[in-house]
Amino acid sequence: MTIRITAPTAPEETSSGRRLAWQACDPDGSPLGHACLHLFTKHGQRHLAELDIEVQPAARRRQAGSLLLDAAVAAARQDGRSSVVTQAETGSPGAAFLTARGFRAALALTYARLPLATADHPALTALARTPHAGYELAAWDGTVPDELADTFVASRRAMDDMPMGAVDYGTVVWDLDRVRAAAAAVAARGDVLHTVAAVDRSDGSIAGFTELVVPAGGTGDAQHYGTAVLPEHRGRGLARWMKAASIVQARERHPRLGGLLTDTADNNPHMRRVNDELGYLPTHTAHEYQLAL
């Protein structure tokens, strides 16, 4: 039976690039799978494309995945990209498919969940309330307040040395426009971006931050987006402090949340230890895969 691949959709503009999409269908139009390609356009990542490809289980081994992948890779090459990255769960059919098609595993990730019903809330509250000499906590929803905007943008360099294994994600350059665009994208979905930051009392600058996205309606699981501390402020327990405060605030403000989700690179033992100490339980592992074009 012949599988039909739709032409790529008109590019969807995002805050960081363009998105193209394809669909694989049976001759009668029944969908079998889809692929989405994100072409980064920000300085430092214009060599890169990110791929999301899914095929229905019943349609596997019928060439739908291969046809979708060929279409997306061809589009990435035509756009001048030199690298495509994607992700698959360890041991999954997707992982075997990517390996067979020339992708290499470049980064291992551990996913974990904190079930709020069984979390040690007294211990988390005590940790969140423990003073840290020379620092105080600040928190906000959505876009960073104007009075903290400049120092928050500057603090994003705390992510520059985040362990990324062998994945070539290029250089992510953060400015105020990008920070505001990211917050606006979350708000447009109806979700809430909640940020907790550690502020250096000596000059009012942000030393580190942790971000949590709460789904619309405050039910289900919230997702941690990033936790980082500037190099000159590390070793003082700020990541654990901020994340504990984020957990406590999320539970108090959104009592119907089921849990909090996070993922950490396996070569980032410090953050994995923080998550373990706060009660996060591993759920599965995955790999970032990369294809050189």
Side-chain angles (χ1 to χ4, degrees):
M1 182 178 294
T2 302
I3 294 174
R4 178 169 54 88
I5 303 297
T6 62
T9 59
E12 174 193 355
E13 298 295 331
T14 72
S15 61
S16 60
R18 306 188 308 276
R19 290 187 186 276
L20 299 173
W22 296 260
Q23 189 173 51
C25 299
D26 273 336
D28 64 1
S30 300
L32 304 175
H34 68 270
C36 179
L37 188 70
H38 187 185
L39 301 165
F40 293 95
T41 55
K42 293 289 187 180
H43 178 72
Q45 289 190 303
R46 292 171 185 158
H47 68 291
L48 182 66
E50 189 172 47
L51 174 65
D52 177 29
I53 184 168
E54 294 186 24
V55 175
Q56 297 179 14
R60 291 171 184 162
R61 300 187 180 279
R62 293 177 52 192
Q63 296 300 306
S66 294
L67 292 171
L68 287 167
L69 178 62
D70 288 345
V73 168
R77 283 199 174 99
Q78 185 176 1
D79 201 65
R81 306 295 158 148
S82 60
S83 181
V84 176
V85 295
T86 188
Q87 188 180 117
E89 187 170 339
T90 304
S92 67
F97 168 75
L98 292 170
T99 301
R101 295 302 301 266
F103 283 78
R104 62 181 178 85
L107 177 68
L109 298 165
T110 295
Y111 285 76
R113 179 177 185 267
L114 176 68
L116 290 175
T118 58
D120 189 343
H121 295 292
L124 290 166
T125 300
L127 181 56
R129 293 177 177 174
T130 300
H132 283 59
Y135 298 92
E136 62 185 6
L137 293 178
W140 63 87
D141 287 343
T143 302
V144 59
D146 290 343
E147 64 271 18
L148 292 174
D150 289 343
T151 183
F152 181 59
V153 171
S155 76
R156 302 296 303 199
R157 68 179 173 85
M159 305 288 285
D160 289 351
D161 61 353
M162 181 174 63
M164 292 303 299
V167 181
D168 177 16
Y169 264 115
T171 303
V172 180
V173 179
W174 286 91
D175 54 23
L176 185 54
D177 287 343
R178 185 165 190 158
V179 167
R180 287 174 171 165
V186 173
R189 302 196 303 263
D191 300 339
V192 177
L193 173 61
H194 181 63
T195 304
V196 174
V199 178
D200 185 345
R201 289 179 181 272
S202 69
D203 59 7
S205 65
I206 291 179
F209 60 89
T210 186
E211 297 170 315
L212 181 72
V213 174
V214 179
T219 61
D221 288 343
Q223 176 72 56
H224 288 285
Y225 265 31
T227 301
V229 177
L230 287 166
E232 58 268 31
H233 296 280
R234 292 173 186 168
R236 297 172 172 87
L238 298 183
R240 187 180 297 102
W241 186 37
M242 294 186 299
K243 209 160 187 178
S246 181
I247 296 166
V248 170
Q249 293 175 23
R251 180 171 180 263
E252 291 175 348
R253 299 179 56 202
H254 306 281
R256 294 188 297 163
L257 279 178
L260 309 183
L261 305 175
T262 191
D263 61 271
T264 311
D266 281 4
N267 60 344
N268 188 355
H270 171 71
M271 190 54 64
R272 290 189 62 186
R273 184 166 59 251
V274 168
N275 292 334
D276 290 344
E277 292 173 354
L278 293 174
Y280 288 80
L281 303 174
T283 58
H284 64 282
T285 62
H287 282 84
E288 290 281 336
Y289 287 85
Q290 187 160 338
L291 177 69
L293 301 182

